[in-house]
């Protein structure tokens, strides 16, 4: 969002159903698989796993917040190399049988498994992040307008470049990542229609490591910098760590994704090269679903989409070089207002 190398990332469990158990809390009153009390929140990670400093870690932050605020326990499970849909089904079923509710699949790859397991456990609420194809009364599709945050990232890149030459690196060549690319290109060209944009996908499939190989991200970034780009935006999961590393080594700007990568401890030595990050509030989506089940007793279901309007997507402003750039901030404010009032229609493909 398979492992080849990591930058300061913890190793992955080797058993297909190995689990990482988070801090324990009290149980809730929501219904579990057997009709009793919920044991807490179940979280099944996407490719790259916990420690990617991006997508999966944002979901884990939501789990941690729910544990703290709602007083429940949580169990999070790592993905395995070369696993099948059957493996994902077994993982989700284990969580359901153990009494966890809600259970959240982090990533569109969980769609077939969520569809199958949700039908078997109608009393359990399932969430799936980045997929809206599973239609069921006990499933919440947690999706985002990634193209809107990416448009703003494009505006920022076009304002920050000194060469009128920027780049985009996508992890895998799939429709979800096309949304990031489309918004980024449109945003950049809104500032400078003649800007030059490098664009590259690391792999055609996730199984080839496009979301989990920092070395691939680093090599691609070196190529774009050699071609003249001085701002590189990635939507490449764990591979993005290589993008940021290469940008820092060449003293050009990187734009992160999903989490505020300027604030990530594993990337601290590169932080001064991280201009901003295009955020989607995966943490909030995980927390809100948990709260709806465990505290409110009114589980979220159907499509729940984060946007600029509702705070589901945004740009991080942790880097003072970004936050204090008045010209850049004025351009972003204008663009954001245009998207919110509908005068700017952002491309999703």
């Amino acid at each position: 969002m398979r492992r080849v190398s990591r930058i300061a990332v913890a190793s992955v469990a080797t058993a297909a159903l190995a689990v990482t158990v988070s801090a324990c809390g009290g149980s809730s009153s929501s219904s579990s698989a057997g009709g009793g009390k919920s044991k807490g929140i179940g979280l099944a990670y996407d490719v790259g796993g916990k420690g990617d400093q991006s997508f999966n870690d944002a979901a884990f932050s939501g789990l941690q917040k729910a544990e703290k605020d709602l007083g429940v326990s949580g169990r999070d499970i790592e993905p395995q190399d070369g696993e099948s849909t059957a493996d994902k089904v077994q993982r989700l079923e284990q969580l359901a049988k153990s009494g966890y509710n809600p259970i959240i699949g982090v990533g569109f790859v969980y769609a077939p498994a969520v569809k199958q397991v949700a039908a078997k456990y109608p009393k359990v609420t399932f969430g799936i992040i980045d997929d809206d194809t599973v239609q069921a009364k006990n499933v919440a599709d947690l999706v985002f307008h990634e193209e809107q945050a990416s448009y703003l990232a494009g505006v920022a890149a076009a304002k920050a470049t000194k060469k009128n030459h920027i780049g985009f690196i996508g992890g895998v060549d799939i429709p979800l990542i096309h949304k990031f690319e489309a918004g980024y290109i449109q945003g950049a060209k809104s500032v400078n229609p003649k800007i030059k944009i490098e664009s590259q996908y690391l792999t055609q499939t996730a199984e080839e490591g496009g979301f989990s190989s920092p070395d691939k991200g680093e090599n691609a970034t070196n190529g774009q910098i050699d071609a003249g780009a001085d701002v590189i935006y990635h939507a490449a999961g764990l591979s993005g760590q290589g993008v940021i590393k290469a940008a820092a080594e060449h003293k050009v700007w990187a734009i992160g994704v999903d989490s505020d990568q300027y604030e990530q401890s594993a990337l601290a030595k590169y932080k001064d090269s991280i201009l901003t990050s295009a955020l989607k509030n995966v943490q909030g989506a995980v927390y809100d679903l948990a709260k709806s089940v465990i505290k409110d007793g009114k589980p979220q279901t159907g499509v729940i989409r984060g946007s600029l309007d509702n705070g589901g997507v945004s740009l991080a402003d942790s880097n003072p070089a970004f936050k204090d750039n008045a010209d850049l901030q004025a351009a972003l404010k204008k663009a954001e207002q245009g998207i919110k009032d509908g005068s700017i229609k952002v491309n999703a493909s």
Side-chain angles (χ1 to χ4, degrees), residues 5-25:
S5 63
R6 290 194 175 203
I7 302 174
V9 178
S11 61
V12 182
T14 54
L17 293 177
V19 297
T20 302
V21 182
S22 303
C24 293

Side-chain angles (χ1 to χ4, degrees), residues 113-187:
V114 167
K115 183 176 181 180
Q116 182 175 333
V117 180
K120 292 179 65 174
Y121 295 90
K123 293 183 179 180
V124 177
T125 296
F126 291 83
I128 181 167
I129 298 171
D130 282 350
D131 181 87
D132 61 2
T133 65
V134 183
Q135 308 294 320
K137 291 182 179 180
N138 61 328
V139 174
D141 299 303
L142 309 174
V143 290
F144 303 86
H145 280 297
E146 294 92 351
E147 71 279 5
Q148 293 181 352
S150 296
Y151 183 101
L152 298 182
V155 171
K159 283 291 185 180
T161 180
K162 296 178 180 178
K163 298 181 179 180
N164 291 320
H165 193 167
I166 62 175
F168 171 81
I169 293 175
V172 180
D173 191 357
I174 53 175
L176 173 64
I177 307 304
H178 297 169
K179 292 173 68 179
F180 290 88
E181 180 188 21
Y184 180 66
I185 291 173
Q186 186 183 354

Side-chain angles (χ1 to χ4, degrees), residues 156-323:
K159 283 291 185 180
T161 180
K162 296 178 180 178
K163 298 181 179 180
N164 291 320
H165 193 167
I166 62 175
F168 171 81
I169 293 175
V172 180
D173 191 357
I174 53 175
L176 173 64
I177 307 304
H178 297 169
K179 292 173 68 179
F180 290 88
E181 180 188 21
Y184 180 66
I185 291 173
Q186 186 183 354
K189 289 189 173 181
S190 74
V191 175
N192 178 5
K194 295 182 179 181
I195 194 168
K196 187 173 183 179
I197 305 173
E198 306 289 333
S199 189
Q200 181 177 350
Y201 288 89
L202 299 179
T203 63
Q204 293 299 303
T205 67
E207 289 72 21
E208 296 171 278
F211 290 129
S212 56
S213 305
D215 58 327
K216 294 182 187 295
E218 184 175 357
N219 291 337
T221 303
N222 285 332
Q224 292 196 355
I225 293 170
D226 287 344
D230 63 353
V231 185
I232 314 290
Y233 172 43
H234 84 85
L238 182 64
S239 300
Q241 295 191 12
V243 174
I244 292 168
K245 177 176 181 281
E249 289 177 346
H250 289 275
K251 300 187 185 305
V252 302
W253 285 120
I255 296 177
V257 78
D258 291 341
S259 294
D260 184 354
Q261 299 200 291
Y262 182 88
E263 296 287 0
Q264 297 297 315
S265 57
L267 300 171
K269 63 182 176 180
Y270 310 126
K271 65 189 299 183
D272 289 342
S273 292
I274 303 172
L275 179 66
T276 181
S277 297
L279 306 178
K280 57 184 183 184
N281 193 13
V282 174
Q283 173 184 352
V286 168
Y287 175 80
D288 288 346
L289 180 60
K291 180 175 179 291
S292 76
V293 174
I294 294 166
K295 183 176 181 180
D296 302 338
K298 297 179 180 179
Q300 292 179 333
T301 59
V303 176
I304 302 165
R305 190 177 298 275
S307 66
L308 283 178
D309 255 340
N310 60 28
V313 299
S314 60
L315 281 191
D317 63 359
S318 300
N319 189 338
F322 171 82
K323 188 175 183 179

Side-chain angles (χ1 to χ4, degrees), residues 81-93:
D81 291 335
E83 69 181 23
S84 65
T85 294
D87 295 321
K88 293 181 176 64
V89 167
Q90 189 176 14
R91 179 176 302 134
L92 298 180
E93 286 188 337

Side-chain angles (χ1 to χ4, degrees), residues 53-115:
Q53 311 298 316
S54 185
F55 182 67
N56 289 290
D57 280 2
F60 179 60
S61 293
L63 171 64
Q64 289 181 305
K65 178 176 172 57
E67 287 180 316
K68 179 179 179 181
D69 291 359
L70 304 178
V72 296
S73 64
R75 176 177 287 180
D76 55 330
I77 307 180
E78 293 281 2
Q80 303 301 313
D81 291 335
E83 69 181 23
S84 65
T85 294
D87 295 321
K88 293 181 176 64
V89 167
Q90 189 176 14
R91 179 176 302 134
L92 298 180
E93 286 188 337
Q94 181 202 20
L95 289 168
K97 289 175 181 177
S98 297
Y100 289 94
N101 185 17
I103 297 168
I104 302 170
V106 185
F108 64 90
V109 293
Y110 277 95
V114 167
K115 183 176 181 180

